[in-house]
Amino acid sequence: MLPLRSNRKALNMKLSWLVIWAGTLVLNPVTADCNITSQTVTCEESGKNLSSIPTSFFKNITKLSLRNNKITLKDSDKEILQSFIHLTELSLNENMITVLYNNSFCNLTKLSILDISNNHISTVHKAAFAGLNQLRVLNLSYNMITQLDSDVFTSLKSLTVLHLQYNRLKSFHIRSSFKLTEIVLAGNPWTCSCDLLDLQKWLTASNVTMENENNTTCTLPNTEEKLFIKMAAIQAADCKTRKASLENTVTSTLANKFKSSALLTTLTPNNITGNNGTHKELHLPGKSWTFLAGVLGFVLSTTLLIFTAIKCPTWYRYLISYSHRRLEENDSKMFEQEFSADMSSFPTVSDTSNEEPIVIFEKIHTFVPGKDGFIEDKYIDSYVTEES
């Protein structure tokens, strides 16, 4: 009797599910190609040049394929996806997605498989997969991702399979808490450097299976030699030394900057107290003012030097022209003696009778001291009289 009752109960549950799906289908007509069973609703909208996710799907959809369209996963697409709370599989491969922004798939708490391969994704934000607590398989292959950190997958507690092949990754910083059973890394331009050491250690220590391992190689820096990513000789000691030197450099740089800022704060405080007790900001002049002042000073000093060089001869002649003194009486007698001594230089007229040469001169002027102490020139007065 018990098995019969259990079979009837199971049959009644299936009938109730069919009634629910039928009612939903009547109330929400679906134009997409959907396959409805007792447990799943699978809709296929591939290769139809869709630029956005259609709104014609009813809310109980569980599997959705939008492969080979032109979807960019804009804000309106994310709002539509949030309404599919029963979705367990989502295929967005071969579309036009370029960036995975934060909370791109939030509210899809039952999603277990996400395929966004063969897109143009170059950037994955840190919280792009937030809310996907049940996600097990993530396919990011055949994209343009250049940098990826394991923190992107922190919220994916159930993730077991990760596809990263054929991107543009050179390094991958991974944490020990990152637990996977399968990973695909082939087709990336990995570099055999210290940035790859964490990934190499994790691949060796964990039980993860690396698919296509023979094609997963890295290139030595400054060479074209390729090595298997697991077998590349990356010395941990060298990486520690390099990391320590880098940290010391960064620390010293920060310390110098801190000292400089502290000294500047001490010499020029940001706030000073005014007469009314309020605080006023003290603004320092910029370097442009210093440069302008220097240019003005240079121009003024150069102009002054040029002006001085031009005017100095004029001033010298001006001072020399006024360097005279008052004549004394003795000076007039000395002048007469000098004048008579120089008479030999005057021209002479020779007579035809070979007599003594006669010196011809009109009148020797004499100097008579005047009442004011200066010497009068009588020659000038007589000359003026005769002229008149």
Side-chain angles (χ1 to χ4, degrees), residues 10-52:
L11 181 61
N12 292 332
M13 290 182 64
K14 290 182 179 180
L15 290 174
S16 62
W17 268 106
L18 289 175
V19 171
I20 293 173
W21 291 124
T24 304
L25 184 61
V26 172
L27 296 175
N28 299 284
V30 180
T31 58
D33 297 331
C34 296
N35 183 19
I36 302 174
T37 64
S38 60
Q39 299 293 333
T40 62
V41 178
T42 304
C43 295
E44 179 76 25
E45 285 287 283
S46 301
K48 296 185 178 181
N49 292 326
L50 299 175
S51 59
S52 59

Side-chain angles (χ1 to χ4, degrees), residues 320-358:
I320 291 299
S321 64
Y322 279 90
S323 62
H324 63 279
R325 62 185 178 82
R326 180 178 297 180
L327 293 175
E328 301 293 340
E329 295 181 2
N330 296 331
D331 295 337
S332 62
K333 295 179 180 180
M334 292 176 62
F335 180 78
E336 291 178 0
Q337 294 175 359
E338 292 177 357
F339 181 77
S340 60
D342 294 334
M343 289 301 294
S344 58
S345 61
F346 280 86
T348 59
V349 179
S350 300
D351 194 5
T352 56
S353 59
N354 295 327
E355 295 180 355
E356 293 287 334
I358 299 172

Side-chain angles (χ1 to χ4, degrees), residues 149-150 172-176 178 180 183 198-200 202:
D149 197 278
S150 60
F172 183 35
H173 298 281
I174 197 165
R175 299 182 183 275
S176 58
F178 194 51
L180 294 175
I183 191 170
D198 292 340
L199 177 61
Q200 189 182 64
W202 178 78

Side-chain angles (χ1 to χ4, degrees), residues 221-263:
N222 302 323
T223 64
E224 297 297 329
E225 184 179 358
K226 293 183 178 296
L227 302 174
F228 293 118
I229 198 170
K230 274 189 173 183
M231 306 300 295
I234 303 175
Q235 300 297 330
D238 296 340
C239 294
K240 289 181 180 180
T241 304
R242 182 180 176 184
K243 184 177 180 181
S245 61
L246 181 61
E247 290 177 352
N248 292 334
T249 303
V250 173
T251 303
S252 61
T253 303
L254 294 175
N256 291 332
K257 288 183 178 180
F258 178 76
K259 289 180 181 179
S260 300
S261 60
L263 180 61

